[in-house]
């Protein structure tokens, strides 16, 4: 029996709290059926935190985040907070927690579930069986580079500027994450840059080559980001692991997610460095956003949140068997034809958020029987 695994739950905004409720049910199930006990704290982030405390990332949340073994987040943001000044918008909370916890490696799998392959906007044979892993650098690059800002110029015009910077250690550590992960997969890494235009990514490419030398069993290739965007929609199965900068990863991971036809299904993990106890800081969240347009209606798809929890079990606690249970339960409900509205298809059975949760628990019961 494992006890005392400290989790921090940050449901956030929009559909976040609704889909998080379904994860609580999976945790209750694990507690009863598999004697896996978690010590769970809830915290505020994003708009929910702004409403309560005036800021998107309260100190209390940050303290709880440092104390936790792993964090499960819902999503942040919504039109209600878009009118606020830039510095206090919900997104600052998300970027702040990534930076403060040093979560430099963002793992975004793009997987096509067999039962959903026909939901893609691409032809079936292009996407069937697709399984790529995008590794996005998450605490550097143009998202955080200085100087940045908007300044007044003579004559009333303004000048806006951001800075793309990367250091050798920043590139090397994300490079190693990519190589290590590829070693457990199909042993291919494609590093994506814009080395024909941007010096910081000329260096990115040079450092990746150096990292690659220590991994002779991994095939390392390089691609410019514009070509990569094109290749992703032309022939996505050519990729195994993609490693790229913060901003290119933001864009390409949305593109890859959409290839799967099921944005509502994709989980992600953001991992940091290990501390003295060997514990690695980690935050897990769905790739999709807070979907304010459908929040409160009980129709949101909870599967990406549930799969994010399964990633948490796998990456933070080595609970492979339990994670397999959860993943298998998700496969089974899809094979049974159950669908929330976002993935609804002909001849399928439409279920609500809690209906999907019921079905997952039901499948977990069967798997454990
Ligand atoms: C993402 C999102 C965030 C990002 C926003 C909400 C700040 O688009 O996680 O991909 O740009 O990193
Ligand atoms: Mg994004």
């Amino acid at each position: 029996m494992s006890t005392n695994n400290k989790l921090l739950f940050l449901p956030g905004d929009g559909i976040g709290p609704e889909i998080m409720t379904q994860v609580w049910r999976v945790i209750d199930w694990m507690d009863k059926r598999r004697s896996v006990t978690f010590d769970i704290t809830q915290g505020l982030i994003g708009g929910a935190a702004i409403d309560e405390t005036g800021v998107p990332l309260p100190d209390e949340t940050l303290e709880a985040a440092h104390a936790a073994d792993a964090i499960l987040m819902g999503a942040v943001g919504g039109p209600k907070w878009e009118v606020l000044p830039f510095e206090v918008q919900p997104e600052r909370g998300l970027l702040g927690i990534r930076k403060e916890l040093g979560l430099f490696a963002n793992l975004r799998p793009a997987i096509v579930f067999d039962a959903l392959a026909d939901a893609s906007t691409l032809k079936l044979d292009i996407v069937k069986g697709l399984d790529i892993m995008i590794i996005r650098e998450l605490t550097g690059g143009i998202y955080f580079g200085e100087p940045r800002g908007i300044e007044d110029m003579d004559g009333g015009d303004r000048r806006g500027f951001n800075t793309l910077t990367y250091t050798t250690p920043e590139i090397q550590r994300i490079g190693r994450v990519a190589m290590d992960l590829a070693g457990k997969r199909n042993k291919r890494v494609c590093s994506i840059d814009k080395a024909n235009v941007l010096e910081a990514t000329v260096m990115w490419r040079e450092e990746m080559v150096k990292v690659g030398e220590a991994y002779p069993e991994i095939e390392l290739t390089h691609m410019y980001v514009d070509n990569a965007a094109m290749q992703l929609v032309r022939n996505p199965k050519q990729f195994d692991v993609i490693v790229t900068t913060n901003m290119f990863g933001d864009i390409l991971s949305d593109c890859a997610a959409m290839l799967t036809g099921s944005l509502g299904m994709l989980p992600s993990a953001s991992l940091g460095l290990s501390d003295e106890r060997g514990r690695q800081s980690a935050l897990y969240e769905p790739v999709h956003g807070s979907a304010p347009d459908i929040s409160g209606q009980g129709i949101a798809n909870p599967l990406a949140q549930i799969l994010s929890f399964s990633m948490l079990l796998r990456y933070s606690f080595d609970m492979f068997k339990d994670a397999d249970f959860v993943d298998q339960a998700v496969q089974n409900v899809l094979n049974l034809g159950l669908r929330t509205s976002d993935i609804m298809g002909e001849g399928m059975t439409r279920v609500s958020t809690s209906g999907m949760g019921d079905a997952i628990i039901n499948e977990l019961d069967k798997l454990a029987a």
Side-chain angles (χ1 to χ4, degrees), residues 91 94-95 98 108 136 143 250:
E91 288 76 5
L94 178 57
L95 295 169
R98 287 173 180 169
R108 297 191 166 183
R136 168 187 177 195
Y143 268 56
D250 178 43

Side-chain angles (χ1 to χ4, degrees), residues 130-160:
L130 181 73
D131 177 357
I132 59 188
M133 175 68 88
I134 298 195
I135 301 183
R136 168 187 177 195
E137 198 291 326
L138 202 60
T139 51
I142 199 167
Y143 268 56
F144 294 96
E146 299 283 347
R148 61 189 297 157
I150 303 172
E151 65 186 16
D152 292 326
M153 297 167 65
D154 294 341
D157 286 334
R158 295 190 303 160
R159 177 176 169 268

Side-chain angles (χ1 to χ4, degrees), residues 76 90-92 94-95 98 106 108 136 138 143 246-247 249-251 253-254 268 285-288:
V76 297
E91 288 76 5
R92 298 301 107 199
L94 178 57
L95 295 169
R98 287 173 180 169
N106 184 213
R108 297 191 166 183
R136 168 187 177 195
L138 202 60
Y143 268 56
N246 202 341
M247 183 148 93
D250 178 43
I251 299 166
S253 63
D254 262 30
S268 78
E285 59 180 315
V287 168
H288 65 69

Side-chain angles (χ1 to χ4, degrees), residues 187-265:
K187 306 201 164 31
R188 286 185 292 121
V189 172
C190 181
S191 167
I192 291 170
D193 58 45
K194 188 73 185 172
N196 51 346
V197 179
L198 304 171
E199 287 85 344
T201 71
V202 171
M203 199 181 100
W204 174 281
R205 189 177 284 215
E206 289 168 359
E207 294 303 325
M208 279 297 161
V209 169
K210 284 187 208 156
V211 173
E213 282 163 5
Y215 295 82
E217 71 286 9
I218 306 290
E219 178 199 293
L220 172 65
T221 55
H222 308 270
M223 215 180 256
Y224 297 140
V225 63
D226 49 349
N227 184 26
M230 194 252 286
Q231 296 298 337
L232 261 181
V233 287
R234 192 186 73 86
N235 175 22
K237 283 190 237 170
Q238 70 186 281
F239 297 107
D240 175 23
V241 171
I242 284 175
V243 62
T244 190
T245 65
N246 202 341
M247 183 148 93
F248 295 161
D250 178 43
I251 299 166
L252 294 178
S253 63
D254 262 30
C255 177
M258 206 56 224
L259 295 178
T260 70
S262 40
L263 188 57
M265 298 287 306

Side-chain angles (χ1 to χ4, degrees), residues 43-221:
L44 293 167
I45 195 165
I50 295 170
D51 289 350
E52 285 273 323
T53 70
V55 292
L57 180 61
D59 289 342
E60 214 185 358
T61 300
L62 209 48
E63 271 163 39
H66 280 295
D69 294 316
I71 303 166
L72 188 68
M73 206 182 85
V76 297
K80 180 177 171 194
W81 303 283
E82 273 164 18
V83 292
L84 292 176
F86 183 78
E87 308 74 46
V88 291
Q89 285 184 2
E91 288 76 5
R92 298 301 107 199
L94 178 57
L95 295 169
I97 200 166
R98 287 173 180 169
K99 190 71 176 173
E100 290 292 331
L101 295 184
L103 304 171
F104 69 92
N106 184 213
L107 279 45
R108 297 191 166 183
I111 297 166
V112 171
F113 295 85
D114 274 344
L116 296 177
D118 55 3
S120 174
T121 47
L122 268 69
K123 293 197 192 93
L124 190 65
D125 60 312
I126 303 283
V127 296
K128 195 158 199 298
L130 181 73
D131 177 357
I132 59 188
M133 175 68 88
I134 298 195
I135 301 183
R136 168 187 177 195
E137 198 291 326
L138 202 60
T139 51
I142 199 167
Y143 268 56
F144 294 96
E146 299 283 347
R148 61 189 297 157
I150 303 172
E151 65 186 16
D152 292 326
M153 297 167 65
D154 294 341
D157 286 334
R158 295 190 303 160
R159 177 176 169 268
F161 52 101
N162 289 88
T163 308
L164 171 61
T165 73
Y166 271 111
T167 61
T168 321
E170 281 177 325
I171 301 168
Q172 291 188 347
R173 67 184 182 184
I174 193 78
R176 286 193 294 269
V177 171
M179 301 290 164
D180 288 337
L181 229 111
K184 297 181 194 145
R185 298 171 46 103
N186 293 322
K187 306 201 164 31
R188 286 185 292 121
V189 172
C190 181
S191 167
I192 291 170
D193 58 45
K194 188 73 185 172
N196 51 346
V197 179
L198 304 171
E199 287 85 344
T201 71
V202 171
M203 199 181 100
W204 174 281
R205 189 177 284 215
E206 289 168 359
E207 294 303 325
M208 279 297 161
V209 169
K210 284 187 208 156
V211 173
E213 282 163 5
Y215 295 82
E217 71 286 9
I218 306 290
E219 178 199 293
L220 172 65
T221 55

